[in-house]
Amino acid sequence: MLTANNIATELPISFKLTEEQQLIKETIREMAQAEFAPRAAEIDRDHRFPRENWDLLAASDLCGLPFPEQYGGAGLDHVSYAIAVEELASACATTSVMYSAHVSLCAQPIFILGTEEQKQRFLPPMCAGKKLGAFALSEPGSGSDAAAAKCMAIQKGDQFILNGSKNWITNGVEADYYLVIAQTDQNLKHKGLVALIVEKGAPGFTFGKLEDKLGIKGSSTCQINFEDTPVPVANMLGGLGDGFKVAMITLDGGRIGIAAQAVGIAQGAWDHAFKYSKERVAFNKTINNFQAIQFMLADIQTEIDAARLLVYHASVAQDSGEKFTKHAAHAKLFASEMAMRSTVKCVQIFGGYGYVTDYPAERYMRDAKITEIYEGTSEVQRLVIAQNVLKGL
Ligand code: CAA
């Protein structure tokens, strides 16, 4: 029979942060709250890409946080990376996605799948924050069905010639390196895709209009277009036909980053709602005295804690080298839907003040929504989880 004692000893993993992880959390929190939080409302209102936030991340040696020192990184683990994303998001969601798209969607695949020459060439400037990364998979006519990409890459000698468009590119006009997934042969479907690192300034590479979004308004999001754009074969990540797998491997890591972002957004909203509940008076009491408010605060905190543990679990799996596709999808699915539920409740705690821009509650709610959509919608996460379950993984 199970006793309380042997239940406790059967717990497989301790989620206590190491001293180093705790230090990362405190350091980034301090910086994000002091520097990024005060600018977040203005960035949102003016739809302004906060280049100064990027420069501060670079000066703080954070742009290559999970990569080895030999490539200019900080050599830290992925739990630390998730902590960094969460702390940035709790202050400014725009800054967190600028950061996670750079690290997870561009530098990380180059680190995992690049040749030594590619790593030496691309990673040091990215880790130093001198070059900003982006990822280009979706197209005007294909989002969830990633294999249906129509942007063509035709090989001619030692170059590919790119023609077509890519949509919803985070870091849009601001990035320097774009990891582009393109098709070499429509008949081959996902087996015809190729992953190419395209540099800003390449001939025929132009930008569409900036998207006017519901949230993360400071993040630069646009379409990118290629017209006879030459890309050296030396910039191909993996082999011919590996593009789909490069994209899926990239998104496995990226989805943990978005889950961490969702946790940070929910935590930031909760922090503001909790503070407000201790100040706002109704019926001669501060509203934190009412069970209606206490229960909302309790529910939100419980859900944030559960989501954070899923993020840490997926990050530990990523660091261990085991396949973590399902863990990443669990974390993204739960954390993003939790962030949406939680931020709606935080607006409710603020009442009328939650509905206006004088307080940040409405911004957190708008910023939360995208976490259910980008890097694979909630529906795609359920598909990935189900596919893994059916395979016995
Ligand atoms: N790792 C490695 N390989 C993988 C993999 C993974 N996680 N997932 C699938 N594969 C492999 C499969 O093993 C299979 O290989 P074989 O051909 O050798 O058998 C191949 O890829 C095809 O797999 P599926 O048949 O499962 O592929 P599918 O067509 O059914 O698609 C999908 C599955 C999950 C729906 C996938 O298309 C998907 O993830 N779609 C969502 C795309 C997405 O997240 N887009 C967001 C873009 S980024 C963004 O949001 C913009 C931004 O800047 C933030």
Side-chain angles (χ1 to χ4, degrees), residues 136 152 355 362:
M152 293 303 295
Y355 203 65
E362 58 84 36

Side-chain angles (χ1 to χ4, degrees), residues 97 101 105 134-138 142-148 167-171 190-191 221 244-252 255 258 323 325-326 373-377 380-381 383-384 387-388 391:
V97 70
L105 299 185
F135 178 61
L137 173 64
S138 300
S142 64
S144 293
D145 186 5
N167 254 34
W168 318 123
I169 310 307
T170 300
N171 291 338
H190 78 271
K191 289 186 193 295
T221 312
F244 190 78
K245 285 187 186 173
V246 171
M248 292 300 114
I249 291 167
T250 300
L251 286 166
D252 281 347
R255 287 167 182 167
I258 300 305
K323 192 163 163 54
T325 301
K326 190 175 77 170
I373 298 172
Y374 59 18
E375 300 199 32
T377 60
V380 163
Q381 305 314 314
L383 199 66
V384 170
Q387 282 174 348
N388 278 271
K391 285 184 201 156

Side-chain angles (χ1 to χ4, degrees), residues 131-287:
K131 299 285 184 187
L132 180 63
F135 178 61
L137 173 64
S138 300
E139 296 188 2
S142 64
S144 293
D145 186 5
K150 288 194 165 50
C151 178
M152 293 303 295
I154 302 300
Q155 191 171 350
K156 288 200 175 139
D158 59 358
Q159 290 185 328
F160 285 96
I161 305 298
L162 267 182
N163 276 291
S165 295
K166 292 283 172 184
N167 254 34
W168 318 123
I169 310 307
T170 300
N171 291 338
V173 299
E174 303 289 341
D176 302 284
Y177 298 150
Y178 299 78
L179 179 58
V180 177
I181 310 297
Q183 182 58 269
T184 59
D185 181 347
Q186 294 288 357
N187 297 322
L188 294 176
K189 301 196 173 137
H190 78 271
K191 289 186 193 295
L193 294 173
V194 71
L196 302 174
I197 305 163
V198 183
E199 298 191 43
K200 182 183 245 163
F205 177 6
T206 57
F207 301 100
K209 73 170 175 58
L210 283 176
E211 302 294 350
D212 184 2
K213 306 185 295 293
L214 176 71
I216 54 161
K217 284 172 178 267
S219 171
S220 170
T221 312
C222 69
Q223 186 175 89
I224 58 176
N225 306 304
F226 303 107
E227 201 179 327
D228 293 330
T229 300
V231 183
V233 171
N235 286 19
M236 176 170 63
L237 211 52
L240 208 58
D242 284 345
F244 190 78
K245 285 187 186 173
V246 171
M248 292 300 114
I249 291 167
T250 300
L251 286 166
D252 281 347
R255 287 167 182 167
I256 305 178
I258 300 305
Q261 180 189 31
V263 171
I265 291 170
Q267 183 66 59
W270 188 93
D271 291 344
H272 283 284
F274 182 53
K275 180 167 176 285
Y276 182 79
S277 76
K278 292 189 287 184
E279 294 162 357
R280 171 71 177 175
V281 174
F283 306 102
N284 298 320
K285 293 176 190 169
T286 53
I287 61 171

